[in-house]
Amino acid sequence: MKLSERIVNGLLRAFFRICFKIDRSELKNVPMEGPLLMMVNHTSNLEGPMLYEFLQPRKLHAMAKQELWENTFMAYLMETWGSIPVDRENMGRATMDACFKVLDQNHILAIAPEGTRSKDGTLQQGKGGVAFIAHKKNVPMIPVAVMGFEKTKANMKRLRRTVISIKVGKPFEIIQKGGRIDAETRQKLADEIMLYLAALMSEEKRGYYRGKPIEFTLTQTIT
């Protein structure tokens, strides 16, 4: 690890410890080897950096909106963390290749299936693009629900540390191996992936999936 990266990571770790009270106990349930798709709910730009920092030495790369690269400082941080820029309207071939490369290197690829940030901390509907990556690479997936970041702004005004809860579910995989899946099936698979996140959250936090049965027909947990 380069000296500049060590300095950035040290400052990042200090930032999280000073500004937040993070329950990291369930991160021990994340497999420490092999390729892994980490499905994370999205309420802040801080989920990726936090997981990157506290899962070390496990290598994690997060997908992030390409607009972050428009700022010189943010672009430096994104490159330091090995983040992958993505056009949220059109996930191009270069983005897919970068995602596949991460998994081929047996690292973690962190994805927010919702695609866009939730302002109120509740789940939005998952996007079909995440299902394409999951089906194409056929690697284990794991749901990680991060809760609390949506309260950061209000707590900072009151000079309070924000309590962050991290829930980690069991690894799961797609049942159908190989072949192709159509757009309708991709969306069904994306919704099923989101249900794994919903299962880790209280009913009022489930948003789009509130009241929907937690049932799985396209995927199965890995024993």
Side-chain angles (χ1 to χ4, degrees), residues 141-156:
M141 292 175 275
I142 195 166
V144 177
V146 180
M147 293 158 284
F149 275 126
E150 70 277 6
K151 302 176 183 177
T152 301
K153 187 175 181 179
N155 285 340
M156 288 184 71

Side-chain angles (χ1 to χ4, degrees), residues 73-116:
F73 177 68
M74 287 303 301
Y76 170 74
L77 291 180
M78 293 296 105
E79 293 299 322
T80 298
W81 298 331
S83 300
I84 299 173
V86 57
D87 181 346
R88 291 173 292 177
E89 300 299 323
N90 182 26
M91 192 181 296
R93 181 68 187 182
T95 299
M96 290 293 183
D97 287 344
C99 292
F100 296 160
K101 182 178 179 181
V102 166
L103 297 172
D104 289 340
Q105 292 174 331
N106 289 332
H107 295 170
I108 296 175
L109 175 62
I111 298 179
E114 299 160 281
T116 57

